[in-house]
Amino acid sequence: MEVVIVPDAGAAGELVAETMADLLRRKPDALLGVATGSTPLPVYRALAAKAAAGAVDTSRARICQLDEYVGLPAGHPESYRSVILREVVEPLGLDEARFLGPDGSAEDIRAACEKYEGELAAAGGVDLQLLGIGTDGHIGFNEPCSSLASRTRLKTLTRQTRADNARFFGGDIDQVPHHVITQGIGTILEARHLVLLATGEGKAEAVAQTVEGPLSALVPASALQMHPHATVVVDEAAASGLKLADYFRSAYETKPHWQKL
Ligand code: F6R
């Protein structure tokens, strides 16, 4: 696992956007797995700015969702499909047909999960999966004690996650759905490159457990320790709990340029 410590959220967004742009220059129809929430927004803005400036052609990029609320009506502004359309698909000028995601409003949720797994496989798998991290260590919506081999399925959010996300629902936790569809940890681990982004002091403990703690279902993000190409990009605040921070800094500073992320 590589840990890259950058000064702030803006620098993190720029670094990850450049990594995505570099991938698209090599593979124009790459499948980019995207996360929602606040953390990845600087990445999406930086990538859209690069596309607008002609620094990368994103027109053939494909996008796929990590997770989705269950029970929100289709088109709800806080459904993750709506968020990704607003923050990624439209700013990059992509046709909606290039965007895959699970149907959280399906009558048969189990079938919707299986369908989404099939679509990801048929698409050739995810080239780069961007992940945020919950304060409880979740990735996607794989809450603590999720199976490390799990596939896309229905999960129940913890109260902590619903409280964290209440800000998107007018501060009212009761409006935050209890259930979600999420790619499983086993599904996520199949992406060719995992990039976990964390900013702010509130993520410091979860980041330290993910990077330096034991591999444990109690900290779902620790599953990244099993991935051959996992990059953790953190700002100084999110890195503040890392015992090996100085080593991670020097390793990145002295890294051969050709290796990139
Ligand atoms: C959402 C997702 C979640 C978030 C996490 C952090 O698609 O996958 O794991 O990344 O809850 O959310 P923020 O970035 O809002 O702190």
Side-chain angles (χ1 to χ4, degrees):
M1 183 188 296
E2 177 176 26
V3 179
V4 181
I5 303 172
V6 295
D8 53 35
E14 175 58 31
L15 179 65
V16 177
E18 184 51 30
T19 301
M20 287 178 163
D22 188 54
L23 170 62
L24 290 170
R25 289 179 200 118
R26 284 181 279 119
K27 184 175 180 183
D29 66 345
L31 182 56
L32 302 177
V34 292
T36 47
S38 307
T39 313
L41 295 178
V43 176
Y44 306 145
R45 289 180 191 146
L47 185 61
K50 286 177 193 295
V56 59
D57 177 7
T58 57
S59 63
R60 291 175 59 203
R62 296 173 298 151
I63 303 294
C64 66
Q65 241 171 292
L66 187 54
D67 41 21
E68 180 58 280
Y69 288 117
V70 166
L72 294 181
H76 187 288
E78 293 306 327
S79 78
Y80 282 176
R81 183 163 191 91
S82 297
V83 172
I84 298 297
L85 280 171
R86 205 162 58 227
E87 302 291 350
V88 182
V89 175
E90 287 162 12
L92 294 183
L94 297 178
D95 190 299
E96 200 175 333
R98 307 191 75 78
F99 174 32
L100 296 174
D103 182 0
S105 62
E107 289 242 320
D108 186 340
I109 291 295
R110 194 186 310 225
C113 294
E114 281 170 21
K115 178 167 176 270
Y116 190 43
E117 283 270 342
E119 287 171 353
L120 290 175
V126 178
D127 289 294
L128 184 155
Q129 177 64 58
L130 179 58
L131 299 164
I133 184 169
T135 53
D136 62 2
H138 69 228
I139 47 172
F141 273 137
N142 294 283
E143 295 286 29
C145 296
S146 289
S147 158
L148 297 180
S150 50
R151 310 299 307 184
T152 302
R153 68 211 184 292
L154 182 81
K155 281 296 287 182
T156 306
L157 295 179
T158 60
R159 186 167 176 83
Q160 184 176 333
T161 298
R162 291 178 61 241
D164 286 344
N165 285 6
R167 67 191 192 279
F168 298 113
F169 292 85
D172 182 1
I173 191 173
D174 293 331
Q175 300 302 312
V176 183
H178 285 270
H179 293 119
V180 291
I181 291 176
T182 181
Q183 285 189 34
I185 296 175
T187 317
I188 291 169
L189 289 176
E190 284 175 4
R192 287 180 266 282
H193 185 190
L194 297 179
V195 179
L196 186 145
L197 179 60
T199 52
E201 204 180 339
K203 300 294 173 69
E205 190 185 339
V207 166
Q209 288 180 356
T210 295
V211 174
E212 296 174 345
L215 172 65
S216 166
L218 196 55
V219 183
S222 66
L224 266 69
Q225 295 176 17
M226 309 255 291
H227 196 281
H229 190 184
T231 310
V232 175
V233 178
V234 282
D235 68 357
E236 290 287 351
S240 59
L242 291 172
K243 294 190 192 79
L244 293 180
D246 286 343
Y247 168 66
F248 297 136
R249 280 195 193 92
S250 75
Y252 186 61
E253 276 165 23
T254 57
K255 183 176 178 173
H257 185 251
W258 53 265
Q259 272 194 318
K260 302 191 176 169
L261 283 196

